[in-house]
Every structure is written in structure tokens, then in C-alpha cells.
Amino acid sequence: MFRWKNVHGAVGASALAALLLSACGPQAGEGDQTDAALRPPGNGNGSGSVAELMAARNLSEDDVRAALATYTPSGGRDEYLIFASGGHSGQIIVIGVPSMRILKVIAVFTPEPWQGYGYGDETDALLASGARDGQPLGWADTHHPALSETAGDYDGQFLFIGDKANARVAVVNLKDFTTQQIVVNPLIQSDHGAAFVTPNTEYVIETSQYPAPLDGAFAPIEEYDEKYRGAVTFWKFDRAAGRIVPEGSFAIELPPYMQDLADAGKLASDGFVFINSFNTERAWGGVLEGNPPLESGASQNDMDYLHVIDWRKAEALVAAGKTETVAGMPLLRLTTAAAEGVLHFVPEPKSPHGVDVTPDGKDIVVGGKLDTHGTVYSIEKVKKLIADKNYAGTDPYGVPILPFEEAIRGQVEIGLGPLHTVFDDKGYAYTSVFLESVVAKWSLADLKVVQKLPSHYNVGHITAAEGDTVSPDGHYVVAMNKWALDRFNDVGPLLPQNFQLIDSSGDEMRLLYDLPIPIGEPHYAQMIKADKVTPIEIYTPVGTNALTHAVDPNAVTGGKEQIERREDGVHVHMTAVRSHFTPDIVRVKQGEKIHFHITNVEQAKDATHGFAVGSYNLNASIEPGEHVNMTMIATRPGVFPLYCTEFCSALHLEMAGYLLVEPK
Ligand code: RUQ
Ligand code: CUA
């Protein structure tokens, strides 16, 4: 039986060596094929004793321990739920921990056929509301999901997520795991520090990434310093309505640095928001025009700036009318923010990436992509420097800069390319170390690394059980790896992402499970105690619209079904119940507009019906008690079967009917 640890140690070291030579991720080379070569799949003889099974499948004792730690018998429940960004898919993935079973893909920014998302009146309108300047968008680059919080703890009510490509934020209701709203940020063209919430979800924070003129207008790139800007938006969240209220929202103008991740302060740092930046050089590329590429232009300075924002002060200034309206958004100008003490900078080492506030809110940990350290800022020191106006200078836009050495509590020597940090309940921090491909566990008290666990490979974000709250649980950490390389069966050149579940409950981290994610590159995820999320099982009362969570005016109950011709077209008030639609025959004339109003009158859990009309792109998922509306124009004459698309009963195939479109 070989030793896991040694094998992994060797992989880590040689991957690092390959990396230092190539500077772009581990290469399939000598060191990297060790695991695959050492671990043939075995012949899966499931009939013998445990020992025989282990031998047949070539499993070590550690493997079996990991299997027992994650195996969840049929009918078993998971202790935690991960809400992971679905990356390019524009969706959110729900994963159970420790089983790592995928439980749901929540449709957010992109049509999702199974949920009928993007094929009916309500969800069509919802997706259309995410258009930018009239341009419908068929995808999103989702990065950071944020669970709603009460007093700094996840409360299991709502979920928010940002779309980096199009500067949008979506609101998901965890009552039924459905998207309720998509807001488009008119001020900025891309975001990254999104979505993050203040400790009571007063605001959902969205920060720009790539500077551009804030009014959405054109300006030559040569006027970058003068006309290009960043901004942080505080989207007001109305918890009772379950919606972002654009009218109560505001933004703060930021210099044209590239703002990166953000985190809201809590407890000791309550009232503050921290935002990283890179490219304080204000480089903008132009490789064919004789300029250095952006990546090198943006890596000249030894220090970039951590943005320290006093959002309560900003809120007061907004209330006092100290804003200008730009692109429809009340904007606190940079000069005002700097002069009124809303915005301060603290230098941070070379090209930082993650900024993460410790559970007690006392420290702010920043990882530098091109630095080997994690830098730990002390909010107490930062507050004192601000109060004393103890500045080391100002930036070109007049923003006061606090002295670096006096703002930090210390630095921890982590390794090559520390990115993001999460926390446990025992005073440890866990940092993803991208270039070195490890998760580093270190002590917050003395800033010393105690263990490095290899990740496979190039870990980006990591997430921990209740990790962003004031009281993390400390049981699990998940490394969200960008490269999968030799972890799974090959599936062509585009490989899945790899989520690695790590047991962090003991003194030593132990790897438990690899979960391939094949629908996009998730960036961040949050992990909540499963019993905090209490979704409804069915929609009550019958006829509830999933977008309004109220009975739809077009809903019908059994016996009230009808086809009605009105001025605006043919209204079909239909019910669905095992195993028929009423009405099941719909006769119209070519050119007529048809409004299908379908109520699933079932109140039994999981009794979902589908509704499809082929050739007309009509497709609904109607969950028990739910009502959906769909509109179509009968442009083509013919006979179109309509049928239920969920195998709902023994007579599911008979749950069908006809749309008869008579030629003009
Ligand atoms: S990203 S791998 Cu949060 Cu968008 Cu860091
Ligand atoms: Cu209803 Cu199948």
C-alpha cells in the first residue's frame, strides 16, 4: 500500500518546478502522471469482503476512510449545501456536502429548458430585463454568489450573484430556489467584486473591474486617466419584497484602477467595505501600438491599493444629497468621497486578488498574486490612522493613503500565488495558493503556516462551511480548482473544473473527494448549514406564480377551465393534473395569438408536469400548485401535439392533446 502523502508531495513539488519553468499551470509531464499511473481503476469486484473489494479496486485505507466520510446512503441528507457559481453557464450549482452530489442547477442568467426558464411569459420577461441597452444577453460570467446574512450569519433566505461580463446582479429566492430579479448596472461595463452583502443585507455590493466612462459613453483610451473610472454600487435590498430597489441604491466613483474582489466588514469592522485593486499603474495595453501588454504594464508598481470604504458615512452623504445622478444612479463623486473620509487607501503588495475579513472582523487578509505573502491588516490600526489623519500621501486623485507598515498586523509567508482565504472555528485560515497548487492552513494568532495540502490543480477560490460568517463551522473546506489535468477520464481538450472536498475538522486537512464540474468555470461558492435553508415543498395556494409568489390572476382551479376569445387573442385557461390537461384540444385560426395560462392543480410533492408544444418553442415546467403563462402566435398552420414533458405517472404518455391551427 503506497503512502498518499508522499505521492502528493512529489506531485506538488514537480508541478511547481514545471510551473516555474513554464509560468502557466502544471504541464502534463513526468511528475503529473504519477497518480494516474499508480492508481489503475481496478476491476470493481463488489461481491467480496471489504478487504477483497479494496484489493480489487486498488484502494488504500485512506481511500476507504475518505469514502466512509462522504458516502451518503440512499435517502440520506447532506449536512451542508454549497451554492457555487456556474461560471460561463450563467447559473448556480447546488451541491450537497459531504456527499458532493449535485442537487440542482438554478437557472439565473441563461435559459434552462428543464425548468422552463426562458420559455414562458414571466421568465422571458425576467431574462429580457437583463438586456443591456436593448441588447439581449444569452450568457453570463457568474463569479461570486453571496448568501443573505442577518447579523453576519447566513440566514438561508436569499442568494445573490454577479455577472462579470455584463455588470449585472441577480436575486434568487431560496424559498423555491428561483431567480426573482436581474438588475443591470447602468454605470459600469463589467464587475468583479460582486456580489457581497453587508452584515444585515442592507446592501448588495457590486464593484466594477475594468474602468470605463461611467456614463456609458465613448472616450478615447488616451483619456484613460481623466475620463475612465471605476465605481462601487450599493444595491439597496428590500428583504420583505425580496428585491433590489434601484431607487434606494447609490454608487461611489473610484479611480481608474482595476478594482478586484470585495468583502464587507463585520463586528469590529462593521460599516466598512474593503476592495482590492490592481493596475494602479493605469496601464491600458496597446501591444500593436508600441505599448507593453496590459499584464506587464499593470505589474510595475510594488504596491497597489486596498480601498477602505466607510459605507455608513457614504450612506449619510447620499441622504444629505451630496450626489450627482450619472446614468440614472446617484453617484458620490471621487472628490467628495476623498474629502469627506469615505474612501481611504492602504498599500497592498503587488497585484492582490482576494480580500477576506476574519470572522471577528478584526483583520483583513489580502493575497498577492505576485507575492508570496498573505498580508493581514488590522482594522483597529486602520481606524486609528484614519482618525489621526495619519497619511503617507495621496494618490493622483486626492485619495489619502495610509502608511502600509502601520496598518498591518503582520504578513504570513504562504507560498507562490496566494489568492483567497477562508476561516474555521479554531483560529485557522485557509488560503488557496494558485501557482503552488496547494491549500495552506495557517494560524491567525501567530501568522504561521501549519500545513499545505496539494490541490489538483491550480486552486482558485476556496470555500469553507459557514466560512464568510461571524461563526464558521470549521468542518469542511472545498478547493475550487481551475485545472483538472489527470484527475478524471479524458473527455477531449476541454476538461471539467475540479472541486476537492477537504476535511478540515482535525489537526490535519485530509482530501476526501473530487467532484468534476462540467458546465463552466465556477469562481466562488458559499457553504451553508443545510438546516438553515427551508424551501417550500409545493406552491400554495394552488395557482401561485413563482415570480410574484402570489396567486396569478389567470390561475384556474378544476372545473373553471375555459377557452376565451378576447381582443388580445385566445386565452386558454388550462389545468394540469395526473394525467391530463383540461382543455386538451385547442382550436385556433392561423395568425391568432394564444395565451396559455396553465395551473398545475396538484398539491403532492414532486408532482411536476411539463407542457410543450413542438415547433413553437413552448416549454414549461409547472411544479405542484404553480401557475405559468405562455404566449405564442400561431403563424404556421398545422397539427401540433402538445404534451407533458415530465414522466409524472403511469399514464404520462397519455397526458397529451392537440393544438389545431387552421389555415386562413
Ligand atoms: S475570482 S480565482 Cu473571485 Cu472571479 Cu479569484
Ligand atoms: Cu404530467 Cu407527464
Side-chain angles (χ1 to χ4, degrees), residues 577-579 581 608-610 644-649 652-653 655:
V577 71
R578 276 164 289 173
S579 301
F581 295 107
T608 293
H609 296 288
C644 170
T645 57
E646 284 283 323
F647 210 109
C648 54
S649 69
H652 149 79
L653 293 176
M655 191 165 176

Side-chain angles (χ1 to χ4, degrees), residues 143-144 192 261 353 419-420 460-461 482 523-524:
H143 277 237
H144 306 101
H192 195 224
L261 288 199
H353 186 46
L419 296 187
H420 300 284
H461 269 279
K482 308 288 187 190
H523 289 257
Y524 194 42

Side-chain angles (χ1 to χ4, degrees), residues 3 124 133 158 219 251 286 296 347 380 408 414 427 452 497 517 573 580 582 619 645:
R3 292 252 163 93
D124 275 354
D133 304 319
F158 296 96
S296 70
E380 201 187 313
I408 66 171
I414 292 179
K452 283 184 177 178
Q497 304 279 300
I517 298 285
H573 292 270
H580 54 271
T582 308
N619 166 39
T645 57

